[in-house]
Amino acid sequence: MINTEQQAVVLVHGLWMSRWTFFSIARSLEDQGYKVYRFGWKTSTRPFSFNMLKLQSFVNSVSEKTVHLVVHSMGGILSMRTMPNIRKQGKLVMLGSPINGSQAAKAMSKKRWSRWMLKHAQEPLENGVVNPEIFRNSCMIAGTSNGIGIAKLVTKLPEPNDGTVALVETQADWIDKHTSVNTNHFRMLFHKEVKKLIIEFLTTNIVKNKKA
């Protein structure tokens, strides 16, 4: 077990959510001894470049030397695109992040009634993580329940999926560990097994960070 006394975790929420959606995961991490910070950002109403600068400043200003990132959905794309400018060491845990681009977002952008909902989120969600630069060990936890989600309203996702993001949208060879849990896109934020997997990944021995 790693001593978590001098370690922090920054939580980054996804599209249309708020930092309070992480309250259950935050409590579990605090119980393990981590200092937890919840990063809030305007996911669709502010330019993505503005949010990248905001996240960069937020993480770099944390006093702890080791700062892990636990991120949900589009928060994974934001974190990966910001990574080259983050100076802190630590790990990255992504929850249902469509790093290969979101089929649901692409479908929404083609429909008049839903296009306006994406605004500044359209480009990052359609393109995902492009030319990733990795400076920390990474884990992806994906949902596979094929449950209720916004994707059901606009398209048919490949199976398995979590109702919003398909499993194939979360897979990449630069991810150190990829695992899945039978849950949907939103419920993973409260799922007991997801919280267990996050803590297990963060508390294993930290190896030297890598750059792809």
Side-chain angles (χ1 to χ4, degrees), residues 2 34 68-69 90-94 136-141 175-178 195-206:
I2 291 175
Y34 292 101
H68 306 295
L69 295 174
K91 295 183 178 183
L92 170 67
V93 181
M94 295 171 284
R136 53 182 62 204
N137 296 118
S138 59
C139 172
M140 176 73 77
I141 304 173
I175 298 174
D176 296 303
K177 180 179 181 180
H178 190 291
K195 291 186 285 188
K196 178 183 175 182
L197 289 168
I198 292 170
I199 292 167
E200 284 180 352
F201 186 74
L202 294 183
T203 54
T204 54
N205 289 329
I206 297 178

Side-chain angles (χ1 to χ4, degrees), residues 9-22 36-48 50-59 61-62 69-72 74-75 78-79 82:
V9 179
V10 171
L11 304 174
V12 185
H13 63 80
L15 181 66
W16 304 323
M17 296 187 183
S18 77
R19 59 196 187 99
W20 300 110
T21 58
F22 263 113
V36 176
Y37 301 90
R38 285 181 274 195
F39 175 75
W41 56 298
K42 303 295 185 181
T43 59
S44 62
T45 58
R46 298 300 298 265
F48 207 65
F50 171 87
N51 286 314
M52 288 171 61
L53 289 172
K54 185 179 179 183
L55 178 61
Q56 168 191 335
S57 177
F58 187 91
V59 176
S61 68
V62 171
L69 295 174
V70 176
V71 303
H72 180 237
M74 193 170 75
L78 178 70
S79 299
T82 308

Side-chain angles (χ1 to χ4, degrees), residues 106-162:
K106 292 174 183 176
M108 287 179 68
S109 68
K110 296 177 181 178
K111 299 180 186 296
R112 184 178 302 176
W113 67 268
S114 58
R115 186 186 307 121
W116 65 273
M117 299 169 64
L118 293 174
K119 299 178 183 176
H120 293 290
Q122 180 176 338
E123 184 279 321
L125 282 175
E126 287 190 351
N127 295 319
V129 177
V130 181
N131 299 322
E133 294 184 74
I134 310 300
F135 299 91
R136 53 182 62 204
N137 296 118
S138 59
C139 172
M140 176 73 77
I141 304 173
T144 58
S145 71
N146 301 331
I148 296 173
I150 192 168
K152 301 283 188 179
L153 302 176
V154 294
T155 190
K156 181 175 176 57
L157 290 178
E159 295 187 4
N161 61 72
D162 64 10

